[in-house]
């Protein structure tokens, strides 16, 4: 579990076989100081294959995924609130390099924690070379920021030329990319060198490259292979020294399978493939990004921030990623930046995906499931994941949010369940009638 608020230092708590005591007492395994934290506030204990968080009678309670619980199992991605402290359960947390802060500036306008740093490490190492690079990531994940970082780290003396291929009409794409001679076509009243030649000695960044039409893709393949272009109206190729970085919201291989992108061009471009994780996969970055943006928007004089606001931000999926989070912070700074503290109620309505009943104790049997029921429910989820991934243990364990060893523990003693059976069309039935995707958080699933 990584503790991400009120401190953004990235304190990490290992969850293993031993009991972990949480609170503000000096004898606690994890010291969570603060007025709303009890001396012995909660504990996390191992029960079979599960990690269970249990409230130890604290005054201000424990919440898992926005709902107050007395006792609940933990899975990867769960957001836990202990008093005013927020933690995120991580299946396989990346860690900062020795001597480096957990969250930091990784490049110009690019900030993040260990997960993003692990992605950017190989990128920085390869930047000095001339590998054609493919950046794959959803909108708002920072593809252009990474392209600019590659250009900066490369040491190339030319310009970075960024082109949004989706904004170029198909009839003009060839002329804009490769240039043209005056009079080469109707309307060409003067010559243009095009984006390739404009980026000589520098970096050409082609965003949304899969949006280029088939004819232009063929010419792009030639330009990438031969490092030369033939402007419209010219007959002789012009050599061009340019580092090429392309970006897409989906894998190029997927576009190839769907017939929208040339396979030979995909193979030629894909010398270094970098997948930028969406914000929902690095939710522990949210408080750090929020704090940094808020400081920028308030001239480094931000108001205090309530724990439940941060909790809500961590529970949201952020379909438009960092760009969307930045817009939310700008709105808060403009409308409420003058107030002493920002609260959950200040967030826009569309972001409040949970009702205020989350403040109350979920209570009842749902909050106090017995150990056998929890294991049966987890087994049901595991069987579904094993079917989906055809018996590949590592993928199924990652989806359910448990270690690989726990998969074998859950299957132990069930001779009717073998990994080989999941690789055939006939899969074993699920004894438990729990629905796929059933939340095991003592009060509803996170999403």
């Amino acid at each position: 579990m990584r503790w991400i608020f009120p401190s953004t230092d990235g304190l990490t708590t290992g969850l293993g076989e031993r009991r972990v005591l949480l609170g503000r007492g000096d004898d606690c395994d994890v010291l969570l100081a603060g007025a709303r934290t009890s001396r012995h506030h909660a504990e996390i204990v191992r029960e079979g294959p599960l990690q269970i968080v249990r409230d130890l009678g604290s005054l201000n309670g424990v919440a898992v995924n926005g709902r107050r619980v007395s006792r609940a199992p933990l899975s990867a991605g769960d957001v836990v609130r202990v008093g005013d402290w927020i933690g995120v359960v991580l299946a396989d947390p990346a860690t900062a390099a020795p001597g480096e802060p957990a969250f930091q500036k990784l490049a110009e306008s690019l900030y993040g924690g260990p997960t993003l740093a692990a992605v950017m490490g190989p990128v920085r190492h390869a930047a000095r070379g001339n590998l054609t690079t493919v950046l794959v990531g959803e909108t708002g994940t920072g593809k252009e920021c990474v392209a600019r970082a590659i250009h900066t780290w490369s040491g190339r003396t030319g310009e970075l030329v960024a082109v949004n291929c989706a904004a170029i009409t198909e009839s003009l794409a060839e002329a804009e990319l490769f240039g043209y001679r005056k009079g080469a076509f109707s309307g060409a009243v003067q010559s243009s060198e095009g984006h390739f030649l404009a980026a000589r000695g520098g970096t050409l960044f082609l965003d949304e490259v899969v949006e280029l039409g088939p004819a232009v893709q063929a010419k792009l393949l030639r330009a990438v292979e031969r490092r030369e272009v033939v402007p419209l109206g010219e007959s002789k190729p012009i050599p061009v020294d340019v580092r090429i970085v392309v970006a897409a919201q989906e894998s190029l291989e997927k576009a190839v399978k769907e017939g929208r992108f040339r396979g030979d061009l995909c193979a030629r471009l894909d010398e270094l493939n970098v997948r930028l994780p969406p914000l929902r996969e690095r939710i522990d970055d949210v408080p750090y990004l929020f704090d940094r943006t808020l400081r920028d928007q308030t001239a480094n004089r931000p108001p205090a921030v309530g724990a439940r606001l941060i909790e809500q931000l961590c529970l949201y999926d952020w379909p438009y990623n960092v760009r969307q989070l930045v817009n939310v912070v700008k709105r808060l700074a403009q409308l409420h930046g003058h107030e002493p503290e920002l609260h959950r109620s200040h967030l826009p309505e569309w972001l409040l995906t949970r009702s205020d009943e989350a403040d109350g104790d979920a209570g009842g049997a749902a909050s106090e499931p017995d150990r056998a029921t929890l294991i049966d429910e987890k087994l049901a989820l595991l069987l579904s994941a094993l079917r989906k991934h055809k018996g590949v243990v590592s993928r199924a364990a990652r989806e359910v949010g448990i270690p690989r060893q726990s998969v074998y523990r859950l299957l132990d003693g069930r001779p009717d369940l073998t990994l080989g059976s999941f690789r055939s069309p006939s899969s074993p039935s699920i004894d438990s009638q729990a629905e796929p995707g059933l939340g095991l958080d003592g009060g509803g699933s996170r999403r």
Side-chain angles (χ1 to χ4, degrees):
M1 180 179 293
R2 180 166 287 142
W3 299 96
I4 54 178
F5 183 85
S7 169
T8 57
D9 291 339
L11 170 67
T12 302
T13 301
L15 305 181
E17 299 293 337
R18 68 181 184 88
R19 170 190 187 237
V20 179
L21 180 61
L22 312 173
R24 59 179 171 82
D26 293 338
D27 57 338
C28 290
D29 300 296
V30 181
L31 185 61
L32 303 177
R36 290 178 56 82
T37 309
S38 299
R39 191 170 70 86
H40 290 169
H41 198 112
E43 65 178 2
I44 301 175
V45 294
R46 177 71 173 267
E47 295 188 7
L50 304 178
Q51 295 286 346
I52 305 292
V53 63
R54 184 164 56 200
D55 189 353
L56 297 179
S58 66
L59 180 62
N60 294 300
V62 174
V64 176
N65 297 327
R67 293 187 179 275
R68 187 163 174 173
V69 298
S70 300
R71 179 177 180 272
L74 297 177
S75 297
D78 284 346
V79 178
V80 180
R81 173 163 47 90
V82 177
D84 276 342
W85 284 79
I86 306 294
V88 177
V89 180
L90 304 176
D92 186 20
T95 56
E100 288 188 354
F103 303 96
Q104 59 183 305
K105 179 178 180 179
L106 301 170
E108 190 62 35
S109 301
L110 189 68
Y111 302 87
T115 299
L116 187 58
V119 172
M120 293 303 296
V123 174
R124 184 162 195 162
H125 183 73
R128 283 282 179 179
N130 200 35
L131 294 177
T132 302
T133 304
V134 179
L135 306 177
V136 180
E138 298 175 5
T139 181
T141 51
K143 296 186 290 294
E144 185 166 346
C145 290
V146 175
R148 292 187 181 279
I150 292 172
H151 176 68
T152 300
W153 294 335
S154 72
R156 298 180 69 89
T157 57
E159 297 292 325
L160 169 72
V161 176
V163 182
N164 182 0
C165 298
I168 306 177
T169 59
E170 186 171 356
S171 60
L172 295 177
E174 182 180 353
E176 290 201 26
L177 287 175
F178 309 117
Y180 54 88
R181 188 180 65 183
K182 179 180 178 180
F185 55 88
S186 178
V189 296
Q190 61 183 15
S191 299
S192 172
E193 64 178 359
H195 296 308
F196 261 88
L197 293 178
R200 277 178 296 189
T203 303
L204 179 64
F205 173 52
L206 300 177
D207 196 9
E208 303 294 356
V209 69
V210 296
E211 299 299 326
L212 293 174
V216 180
Q217 288 182 30
K219 294 182 181 298
L220 178 59
L221 174 61
R222 180 184 177 89
V224 174
E225 284 183 333
R226 302 200 176 194
R227 299 295 181 185
E228 61 184 28
V229 297
V230 181
L232 288 174
E234 301 285 358
S235 58
K236 293 184 178 180
I238 301 174
V240 56
D241 171 27
V242 62
R243 171 71 172 272
I244 298 174
V245 179
V246 304
Q249 294 189 38
E250 59 188 342
S251 71
L252 298 187
E253 291 80 2
K254 179 175 182 289
V256 170
K257 290 178 180 178
E258 294 174 354
R260 296 182 292 112
F261 201 71
R262 293 178 62 107
D264 50 2
L265 178 56
C266 171
R268 186 61 187 83
L269 292 174
D270 202 5
E271 293 180 338
L272 175 64
N273 191 293
V274 180
R275 177 184 177 272
L276 300 182
L279 190 54
R280 64 181 172 274
E281 291 182 9
R282 53 185 184 107
I283 208 69
D284 47 321
D285 282 3
V286 167
Y288 170 77
L289 295 171
F290 179 89
D291 177 71
R292 179 165 190 88
T293 307
L294 185 61
R295 289 181 181 278
D296 289 344
Q297 294 295 315
T298 58
N300 210 31
R301 299 173 61 185
V305 179
R308 292 209 58 219
L309 182 149
I310 296 297
E311 177 187 50
Q312 187 65 45
L313 296 179
C314 291
L315 290 171
Y316 189 64
D317 276 343
W318 301 108
Y320 304 108
N321 296 290
V322 177
R323 185 181 299 134
Q324 187 180 22
L325 174 61
V326 169
N327 288 341
V328 169
V329 180
K330 287 181 178 179
R331 179 185 187 275
L332 289 172
Q334 288 291 319
L335 298 181
H336 307 287
H338 60 284
E339 300 183 29
E341 182 171 342
L342 298 178
H343 299 286
R344 180 179 180 272
S345 59
H346 291 144
L347 293 172
E349 187 64 30
W350 54 264
L351 210 156
L352 299 175
T353 56
R354 288 187 178 276
S355 66
D356 288 336
E357 70 181 1
D359 255 348
D361 194 309
S367 294
E368 298 287 349
D370 59 65
R371 179 171 175 266
T373 300
L374 290 173
I375 293 176
D376 285 346
E377 291 175 341
K378 187 67 83 173
L379 178 61
L381 291 175
L382 175 61
L383 294 179
S384 177
L386 284 170
R387 287 195 188 93
K388 176 181 176 182
H389 296 292
K390 302 186 186 310
V392 179
V393 171
S394 59
R395 294 178 182 175
R398 190 180 306 119
E399 179 169 316
V400 179
I402 60 177
R404 291 180 62 178
Q405 295 85 346
S406 296
V407 174
Y408 300 108
R409 284 198 201 99
L410 283 166
L411 296 178
D412 190 32
R414 294 289 303 269
D416 57 316
L417 299 177
T418 63
L419 292 176
S421 65
F422 293 100
R423 302 186 181 103
S424 63
S426 58
S427 296
S429 61
I430 300 178
D431 291 342
S432 168
Q433 296 303 308
E435 297 179 6
L438 179 66
L440 303 183
D441 54 18
S445 62
R446 178 178 161 205
R447 298 183 177 87

